[in-house]
Amino acid sequence: MYHQTFDGADAAQIIAEEGQQPRVHSSDALHSSDTLHSSDALCCGTFGELLQGQLPVGAVPRDPHFLVTMPIALFARAHFMPIAGTRSVTVYPSHKVKAKRLAENLVMALGASGGILLLQSELPEGKGLASSSADLVAAARSIACCFKRRVRTSLIEKLMAEIEPSDGVMYPGVVAYQQRACSLLSFLGQMPPLAIVGIDQGGTVETVDYDQRRGEISASHRAEYHQLLDRARIAIPQGDTATIGRIATASALLHQERAPKEHLNSMLKASEATDALGVIVAHSGTMIGILLDRMAADFPRKLRSVLAHVSPFDNSPKIYLTMTGCR
């Protein structure tokens, strides 16, 4: 599988494979130097968000809405097969219309041909695990690989922003990200090895619908989010799992009044009873999880205890593993 990181070159230039000169591609013809071959790529998901909210007005450029990713080892995979002479992209499964839109806009920007895009994902849709964002990034990576291009991240983000608010899963590791603007705030480091015992409260959440109906946040809460982000900037590089758990729990509680999770209180009690790190939620999804340190000596015992405490209100919890260097 191809793990491409998008390039830092100017967005107007599509940089050819190493050893060739940068050149600008027109949008009306596929250059004869392009070799048509299929390619595979993938992108990880994220278990909701470690932190999501709004920062004080003026604290950051553009939009104050932000999130901090929690990369997990579940993936969307894309396989692109170019077809010379076409600009359209046929996507399977056919309901992946967001990926179709991004793929067609990207091949147009590259001056490349369309083709067939096959998507396969381990990430359930509408649950808050970044399934759509992972689809879009995997699709973009597959197309860029297919035509042997290094594409500037900002170009991919521009195309994603035209579709919906997105998670920062195109970056390796943990990032603070402006999901509406699709813009990186800062790279926070690598998440330490954690396990998340996750349950699904049911139903689905459409990202665009959720983003349109959520309201503004009070100035006092914005200040709290700012403090939590500052703490995350320190805790994540240090691998401070206790503080990471407290940040996730605080964000879940702050968000509860805006988008209540039915089992949040039960999960909080289970977390406290088992001396876990805390709880984490998909702020714009249906998932709730309990965080555990995989490197702790008593991890196996705590994991069994958490599963036992969760089973009365969800008899099929799933275990998610965080990952580092998410590409």
Side-chain angles (χ1 to χ4, degrees):
M1 285 295 182
Y2 189 66
H3 296 248
Q4 182 191 7
T5 302
F6 296 116
D7 195 70
D10 185 83
Q13 292 180 323
I14 309 304
I15 305 303
E17 198 172 25
E18 200 170 305
Q20 299 183 30
Q21 292 299 310
R23 60 183 184 270
V24 178
H25 284 261
S26 67
S27 59
D28 53 16
L30 177 65
H31 284 243
S32 60
S33 61
D34 288 309
T35 302
L36 298 181
H37 65 284
S38 62
S39 63
D40 294 295
L42 52 75
C43 179
C44 73
T46 171
F47 191 98
E49 299 82 19
L50 174 66
L51 173 61
Q52 179 175 314
Q54 293 179 39
L55 296 172
V57 176
V60 292
R62 296 187 295 273
D63 192 69
H65 294 82
F66 80 103
L67 57 80
V68 175
T69 56
M70 177 64 81
I72 54 173
L74 291 179
F75 300 89
R77 291 172 169 82
H79 180 83
F80 184 71
M81 297 172 286
I83 300 174
T86 180
R87 293 292 181 203
S88 65
V89 175
T90 301
V91 177
Y92 298 96
S94 59
H95 72 276
K96 301 273 191 178
V97 293
K98 296 172 186 175
K100 173 181 171 69
R101 181 177 169 188
L102 180 127
E104 290 184 337
N105 289 343
L106 181 56
V107 297
M108 185 180 300
L110 299 183
S113 65
I116 296 173
L117 176 65
L118 307 179
L119 294 171
Q120 180 185 24
S121 183
E122 300 166 344
L123 300 158
E125 296 177 14
K127 301 297 184 181
L129 302 185
S131 63
S132 293
S133 295
D135 281 346
L136 299 185
V137 173
R141 286 176 171 165
S142 179
I143 292 167
C145 173
C146 183
F147 296 111
K148 299 183 179 180
R149 302 289 183 261
R150 295 196 182 120
V151 181
R152 184 170 176 162
T153 307
S154 60
L155 172 59
I156 304 307
E157 290 175 319
K158 175 181 179 293
L159 298 178
M160 293 176 71
E162 293 169 355
I163 297 171
E164 66 174 3
S166 299
D167 293 272
V169 291
M170 68 288 293
Y171 292 97
V174 183
V175 295
Y177 198 73
Q178 292 170 298
Q179 69 270 30
R180 287 180 168 181
C182 290
S183 177
L184 179 70
L185 275 179
S186 57
F187 174 69
L188 302 184
Q190 303 296 339
M191 188 61 65
L194 304 177
I196 304 169
V197 178
I199 68 168
D200 180 7
Q201 71 174 19
T204 59
V205 175
E206 168 55 47
T207 302
V208 174
D209 293 342
Y210 167 81
D211 192 70
Q212 288 174 347
R213 70 173 183 264
R214 65 177 175 171
E216 294 301 305
I217 294 177
S218 68
S220 62
H221 281 182
R222 287 173 183 247
E224 286 187 63
Y225 282 118
H226 203 182
Q227 291 174 355
L228 290 169
L229 178 56
D230 285 343
R231 290 170 64 189
R233 294 184 196 279
I234 298 170
I236 292 169
Q238 292 181 347
D240 183 349
T241 58
T243 299
I244 289 169
R246 286 192 289 268
I247 292 168
T249 302
S251 188
L253 290 170
L254 281 168
H255 196 72
Q256 182 70 351
E257 63 189 55
R258 305 175 65 218
K261 297 286 191 291
E262 178 185 354
H263 294 301
L264 180 60
N265 286 337
S266 298
M267 293 288 275
L268 282 167
K269 290 177 182 176
S271 175
E272 292 167 2
T274 57
D275 195 28
L277 297 174
V279 299
I280 183 170
V281 300
H283 294 71
S284 56
T286 65
M287 303 296 295
I288 318 171
I290 293 177
L291 291 162
L292 291 167
D293 184 348
R294 290 187 352 234
M295 302 307 291
D298 59 353
F299 169 65
R301 179 189 63 79
K302 282 190 176 180
L303 178 59
R304 290 193 298 270
S305 182
V306 168
L307 290 169
H309 276 79
V310 167
S311 61
F313 47 93
D314 190 313
N315 58 13
S316 59
K318 292 182 173 59
I319 300 170
Y320 302 85
L321 305 180
T322 61
M323 61 178 295
T324 60
C326 177
R327 298 285 286 267

